[in-house]
Amino acid sequence: MAAPDPSPAPSPEQPPGAPLTCLVTGATGYVGGRLVPELLAAGHRVRVMTRSPERLRDHPWAGDVEIARADAGDPEAVAAACAGVDVVYYLIHALGTGPSFEETDRRTAGVMAEAARAAGVGRLVYLGGLEPEDEELSPHLRSRAEVAAILLASGVPTVALRAAVVLGSGSASFEMLRHLTERLPVMVTPRWVHSRIQPIAIRDVLRYLVACARLPADVHRCFDVGGPDRMSYAEMMQRYAAVAELPRRRILPVPLFSPSLSSHWVGLITPVPAGIARPLVESLRNTVICSEHDIAEYVPDPPEGLLGFDEAVRLAVQRVNDSAVTTRWASASVPGVPSDPLPTDPDWAGGSLYVDERVRPSTASADRLFQVVEGIGGSRGWYSWPLAWRVRGWLDRAVGGVGLRRGRRDPDRLYVGDALDFWRVEEREDGRLLRLRAEMRVPGRAWLEFHVEHGPSGGTSLRQRATFAPRGLSGHAYWWAVAPFHGVVFGGMLRGIVRAAEQPG
């Protein structure tokens, strides 16, 4: 795709092999979180732009990067983040933010385009979606195409990589495919299961992204990128089943499924909530096949070739089974969920604050107590009344929330910023504190804290505190409606955690 006018002015070329300063936006997301260590391994200096620097604190590479605090819609903050940068990786999109996501994408892309031009950035790199010819684009793909056009018109040399389904452990597309295939041996499916798709492995996406940093300054265009296989979504499910050693699936297409109904169906079966599933499902109705492979002129295929579908799935499944998933679709914040800090006295002046606080002594060591606390949720559950937690998760998904199916990134370790079922890790102090912020749909803001404490006589205790800041009359009504169950849910959880910590082995 040729670049629109105005054409960018060529930027000074860096000496071959000289390290570049790369700004990565969306570093808390799925692709951005994996790109950062790849750029560091390639010898580049990396700056990451994020609204919440504290969410990057526990990443293994956090000490090796510069962190710029900026909201993507704040021109001054984005301009400061771009200062002195050679390459900007624009990996921001408003997927799942509601009906206004196209306007949000348009606005933030415009802010970055202007900031990069004014700062003299040498290159913009964007990861968008494939654009089929002679088809009406889904809103998601249409927005991706518009963002690419805005960046290409910025006056900065720009490369927009256009990809279809990205295959990798933890991606939203892969989680949809995995759970639909594993949970449904017989599927009644919408028509989009027969649309043609050219998926690409996350390994190859990252290889292209890293290589784009050193493209010649006169390369200013879109490139289609895809793996070696072209297939329908139905074929993808059958081949996934074969790789995962599952029986062949029976797929029965039904033409009556609308995108809205399909997204709710996906949200019911998979961990991906309907708000995120809908734009992905709508895009699957389009034919997303590469129309060219010009990128190979600048980034040759590896000697062994691009990773095929079966091998990409095998590697992704292996990483899931080994609990070695480094980033997930759930790493990104849930749109619309408040991120206000925990209200605390004496600073709290925002109205009513409800607290349920309980303490239980333990014969377990502090390290053992915290080990059990940090391992809570996901497949281990919440140590009290499992049916109540499941029902709460179902109710949350019924009103468009994330529910319990996000699980955990790692079965034992948590990072600040990790999604944990319908919570987000807000604070973690090794051996002492775990604070979770609710991302379920509630009329207010909620936190759940666990404090491991040392007793005066040498013993330990676990202090558990649930805090709720209600919003309006409905918030107060919500707290008092669920208060009668706190003894069973919160009391049982505290007892269950301490009991598990005191068990031998």
Side-chain angles (χ1 to χ4, degrees):
M1 173 177 172
D5 288 332
S7 297
S11 61
E13 300 250 1
Q14 292 285 337
L20 304 174
T21 299
C22 301
L23 175 66
V24 177
T25 65
T28 58
Y30 176 71
V31 176
R34 298 194 180 202
L35 177 61
V36 169
E38 296 292 328
L39 290 171
L40 291 171
H44 298 305
R45 296 179 293 268
V46 177
R47 180 184 301 167
V48 298
M49 188 182 94
T50 177
R51 288 175 299 176
S52 306
E54 60 277 4
R55 287 187 51 195
L56 299 175
R57 187 187 70 194
D58 294 334
H59 284 66
W61 41 260
D64 300 322
V65 304
E66 179 185 354
I67 299 178
R69 181 190 293 271
D71 185 286
D74 182 341
E76 291 186 5
V78 174
C82 288
V85 167
D86 299 306
V87 182
V88 171
Y89 286 91
Y90 191 74
L91 304 174
I92 294 172
H93 58 82
L95 182 69
T97 58
S100 62
F101 79 92
E102 290 183 84
E103 172 55 32
T104 302
D105 277 343
R106 185 181 306 119
R107 178 171 50 84
T108 55
V111 169
M112 177 55 75
E114 174 58 28
R117 184 199 60 76
V121 169
R123 174 162 299 286
L124 280 164
V125 181
Y126 173 60
L127 179 63
L130 283 170
E131 301 168 29
E133 297 181 3
D134 304 321
E135 291 185 24
E136 181 182 356
L137 297 180
S138 71
H140 173 53
L141 291 181
R142 184 173 65 226
S143 182
R144 292 296 187 99
E146 185 178 12
V147 168
I150 291 170
L151 299 179
L152 284 161
S154 65
V156 177
T158 298
V159 164
L161 301 179
R162 304 189 299 194
V165 171
V166 176
L167 296 171
S169 57
S171 78
S173 297
F174 178 75
E175 289 299 294
M176 276 177 51
L177 174 68
R178 180 167 78 93
H179 285 84
L180 286 174
T181 308
E182 290 183 353
R183 293 180 175 177
L184 298 176
V186 179
M187 288 173 269
V188 177
T189 58
R191 287 178 297 180
W192 50 255
V193 297
H194 292 305
S195 298
R196 301 292 290 172
I197 303 168
Q198 189 168 351
I200 183 170
I202 183 63
R203 185 187 74 174
D204 288 322
V205 171
L206 295 173
R207 187 174 61 86
Y208 284 135
L209 287 170
V210 172
C212 282
R214 295 199 182 277
L215 290 179
D218 61 350
V219 178
H220 179 72
R221 55 167 292 184
C222 293
F223 289 101
D224 291 356
V225 294
D229 299 297
R230 299 181 178 191
M231 64 193 79
S232 68
Y233 203 86
E235 290 173 309
M236 288 172 60
M237 289 191 284
Q238 295 292 14
R239 287 176 63 171
Y240 179 97
V243 172
E245 299 182 346
L246 300 171
R248 183 173 176 81
R249 273 32 196 159
R250 297 194 63 184
I251 298 174
L252 309 173
V254 174
L256 301 179
F257 268 123
S258 66
S260 177
L261 187 58
S262 294
S263 62
H264 285 290
W265 171 68
V266 170
L268 179 66
I269 300 301
T270 82
V272 182
I276 293 177
R278 177 159 188 165
L280 296 177
V281 165
E282 289 176 334
S283 298
L284 289 173
R285 75 186 185 211
N286 288 120
T287 302
V288 280
I289 298 292
C290 296
S291 61
E292 43 84 6
H293 190 49
D294 296 350
I295 189 70
E297 298 176 22
Y298 304 95
V299 187
D301 294 348
E304 68 277 13
L306 298 171
L307 201 64
F309 176 87
D310 291 358
E311 182 62 11
V313 167
R314 187 191 67 78
L315 290 174
V317 170
Q318 187 63 51
R319 292 186 72 86
V320 170
N321 292 339
D322 291 345
S323 300
V325 179
T326 54
T327 62
R328 303 167 64 223
W329 64 271
S331 301
S333 298
V334 174
V337 173
S339 57
D340 309 53
L342 174 72
T344 54
D345 291 325
D347 302 323
W348 173 245
S352 301
L353 194 65
Y354 294 113
V355 176
D356 182 288
E357 187 166 29
R358 302 164 188 268
V359 181
R360 189 172 183 86
S362 175
T363 59
S365 68
D367 287 344
R368 175 57 184 159
L369 259 180
F370 190 77
Q371 181 185 34
V372 176
V373 166
E374 190 174 22
I376 202 167
S379 61
R380 291 192 181 100
W382 292 86
Y383 292 96
S384 69
W385 204 5
L387 179 60
W389 286 95
R390 286 197 295 271
V391 168
R392 187 64 185 86
W394 295 334
L395 292 174
D396 191 52
R397 292 180 74 87
V399 295
V402 295
L404 288 174
R405 288 187 182 152
R406 292 191 303 185
R408 300 173 54 105
R409 175 191 55 82
D410 183 281
D412 301 309
R413 289 275 298 176
L414 291 172
Y415 290 166
V416 169
D418 269 354
L420 175 58
D421 292 332
F422 45 43
W423 305 91
R424 176 82 58 181
V425 179
E426 184 173 85
E427 184 56 84
R428 177 191 176 279
E429 295 179 20
D430 194 31
R432 196 184 79 84
L433 167 68
L434 179 67
R435 180 187 302 144
L436 309 176
R437 188 182 73 245
E439 290 189 336
M440 67 191 83
R441 297 292 180 93
V442 291
R445 293 169 291 140
W447 291 263
L448 180 62
E449 295 178 277
F450 301 93
H451 297 257
V452 175
E453 301 174 340
H454 294 271
S457 59
T460 60
S461 62
L462 180 62
R463 182 178 300 273
Q464 175 186 287
R465 181 167 58 199
T467 305
F468 183 68
R471 183 177 63 249
L473 181 61
S474 62
H476 293 277
Y478 171 81
W479 175 264
W480 290 111
V482 299
F485 302 100
H486 286 174
V488 177
V489 175
F490 291 142
M493 180 165 55
L494 181 64
R495 292 190 298 271
I497 291 173
V498 170
R499 189 182 306 117
E502 291 175 345
Q503 289 178 352

